[in-house]
């Protein structure tokens, strides 16, 4: 399969993270890749703390927070483990999946420092669309700020994969991005940036620059209807979570839910596997 343009900024950021001396340096140098923050005052500890808050907030809102660490979670798009460390404290086994092998290496270091390394397994998503995991092997598949960065077909393929690896009665919680007014400007600008990544030599340099990378790496917009057309038949108890400032999607067969932590341009598919 040909390498997708959408892989360029992630492998560039992965290589940049590999070149840093310490995990704190990685956060200072490439932290913006994950939570838009950067700067000398940052540390891996502070970075992971942002993930700790978000994991609990989202799992609680979605009704997926359990007291006993007995379940297996698959995280699609773990990056360097901002949220993964927290997941390993909550789940018996966590499989962190990411496109980039260098991020997964850093993820293992992050979890060793702040989580439970004995509960972690990593799995590279080599083609950007297939999870190298058995059917029915997870209780929960979770993905945050990742599926918007994939080619549209890959995002839908990964949604299918999430359903495949989750056991019947298990849950998926997948975050997507949809259209907002600012996309009138952002979308064409992003297309230009993605085209620039094809330019030999210069493309890689552009991919490592914060502003163009942030414009270019949002590679799709998907609605609940788009995603449910692909995986809806395998799901039950389907909730669509949106931010309170956004109108409901009005998707038949789903429950419209709001959660204050959801960005206006984001929505979550939270459902059980039938
Ligand atoms: C913005 S980061 C989010 C990381 C993490 N979820 C967090 O919130 O800190 C997006 C991650 O998705 C990964 N990614 C991008 N495309 C992917 C794909 N097709 N398959 C798997 N991971 C992908 C990137 O390498 C990156 O680590």
């Amino acid at each position: 399969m040909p390498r997708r343009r959408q892989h360029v900024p992630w492998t560039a950021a992965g290589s940049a993270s590999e070149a840093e001396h310490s995990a704190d340096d990685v956060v200072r140098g490439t932290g913006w890749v994950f939570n838009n923050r950067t700067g000398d005052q940052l540390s891996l500890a502070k970075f992971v703390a942002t993930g700790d808050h978000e994991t609990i907030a989202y799992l609680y809102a979605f009704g997926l927070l359990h007291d006993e660490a007995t379940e297996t979670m698959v995280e699609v798009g773990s990056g360097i483990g901002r949220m993964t460390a927290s997941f390993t404290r909550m789940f018996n086994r966590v499989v962190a999946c990411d496109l980039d092998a260098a991020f997964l290496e850093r993820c293992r270091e992050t979890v060793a420092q702040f989580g439970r390394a004995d509960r972690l397994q990593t799995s590279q998503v080599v083609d950007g669309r297939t999870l190298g995991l058995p059917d029915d092997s997870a209780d929960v598949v979770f993905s945050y700020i990742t599926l918007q960065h994939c080619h549209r077909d890959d995002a839908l393929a990964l949604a299918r994969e999430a359903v495949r690896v989750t056991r019947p009665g298990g849950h998926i919680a997948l975050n997507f991005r949809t259209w907002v007014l600012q996309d009138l400007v952002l979308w064409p600008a992003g297309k230009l940036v993605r085209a620039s990544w094809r330019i030999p030599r210069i493309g890689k340099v552009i991919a490592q620059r914060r502003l163009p990378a942030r414009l270019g790496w949002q590679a799709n917009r998907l609605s609940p209807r788009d995603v449910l057309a692909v995986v809806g038949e395998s799901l039950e108890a389907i909730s669509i979570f949106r931010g309170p400032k956004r109108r409901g999607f009005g998707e038949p067969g789903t429950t419209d839910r709001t959660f204050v932590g959801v960005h206006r341009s984001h929505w979550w598919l939270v459902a059980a596997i039938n």
Side-chain angles (χ1 to χ4, degrees), residues 7 10 33-34 75-79 82-83 98-100 103 125 128 144-146 149-150 158:
H7 297 184
W10 303 109
V33 171
F34 304 104
E75 184 188 10
V76 180
S78 62
R82 190 178 71 92
M83 300 176 112
D98 203 281
L99 185 65
D100 190 76
F103 281 159
V125 187
Y144 184 45
I145 348 180
T146 293
H149 298 305
C150 309
L158 285 169

Side-chain angles (χ1 to χ4, degrees), residues 17 26-27 30 34 44 47 78-82 84 103 106-107 110:
S17 82
V26 171
V27 170
T30 66
F34 304 104
L44 183 65
F47 183 67
S78 62
I80 64 172
R82 190 178 71 92
T84 323
F103 281 159
R106 291 292 185 180
C107 179
T110 302

Side-chain angles (χ1 to χ4, degrees), residues 95-99 104 108 121-126 130-133:
V95 187
C97 306
D98 203 281
L99 185 65
L104 289 175
R108 288 190 285 274
Q121 184 191 326
T122 55
S123 176
Q124 190 182 1
V125 187
V126 179
T130 312
L131 302 178
L133 305 174

Side-chain angles (χ1 to χ4, degrees), residues 78-274:
S78 62
I80 64 172
R82 190 178 71 92
M83 300 176 112
T84 323
S86 168
F87 286 141
T88 61
R89 282 182 253 117
M90 290 188 249
F91 289 83
N92 187 44
R93 186 167 157 256
V94 174
V95 187
C97 306
D98 203 281
L99 185 65
D100 190 76
F103 281 159
L104 289 175
E105 178 65 43
R106 291 292 185 180
C107 179
R108 288 190 285 274
E109 291 170 22
T110 302
V111 171
Q113 230 180 308
F114 296 98
R116 293 275 309 260
D118 56 317
R119 294 176 171 179
L120 179 71
Q121 184 191 326
T122 55
S123 176
Q124 190 182 1
V125 187
V126 179
D127 63 0
R129 56 185 294 146
T130 312
L131 302 178
L133 305 174
D135 295 357
D136 304 341
S137 54
D139 297 286
V140 179
V141 176
F142 181 98
S143 183
Y144 184 45
I145 348 180
T146 293
L147 298 171
Q148 62 181 268
H149 298 305
C150 309
H151 186 282
R152 181 190 173 91
D153 297 346
D154 290 353
L156 294 172
L158 285 169
R160 251 187 250 111
E161 284 289 89
V163 169
R164 178 184 68 76
V165 304
T166 308
R167 66 166 172 81
H171 290 84
I172 56 169
L174 306 177
N175 171 251
F176 296 92
R177 185 169 174 128
T178 189
W179 298 101
V180 288
L181 200 59
Q182 294 93 305
D183 286 332
L184 285 171
V185 177
L186 293 180
W187 189 250
K191 276 190 126 172
L192 276 179
V193 171
R194 286 197 291 282
S196 77
W197 292 338
R198 285 260 165 91
I199 305 170
R201 283 196 291 275
I202 308 171
K204 203 172 171 196
V205 177
I206 297 173
Q208 285 182 345
R209 301 256 162 226
R210 180 184 176 126
L211 181 63
R214 292 191 77 83
L215 279 173
W217 65 25
Q218 283 164 22
N220 72 63
R221 299 287 186 268
L222 288 164
S223 68
R225 182 158 303 177
D226 296 328
V227 179
L228 290 171
V230 172
V231 292
E233 283 195 353
S234 308
L235 304 179
E236 57 193 34
I238 305 172
S239 293
I240 305 296
F241 280 80
R242 62 179 167 89
K245 288 189 182 154
R246 166 160 213 119
R247 246 188 316 135
F249 290 93
E251 190 56 36
T254 69
T255 305
D256 177 42
R257 310 274 304 268
T258 58
F259 174 52
V260 71
V262 183
H263 190 269
R264 264 189 76 239
S265 61
H266 288 193
W267 60 276
W268 286 83
L269 170 62
V270 180
I273 306 300
N274 58 30

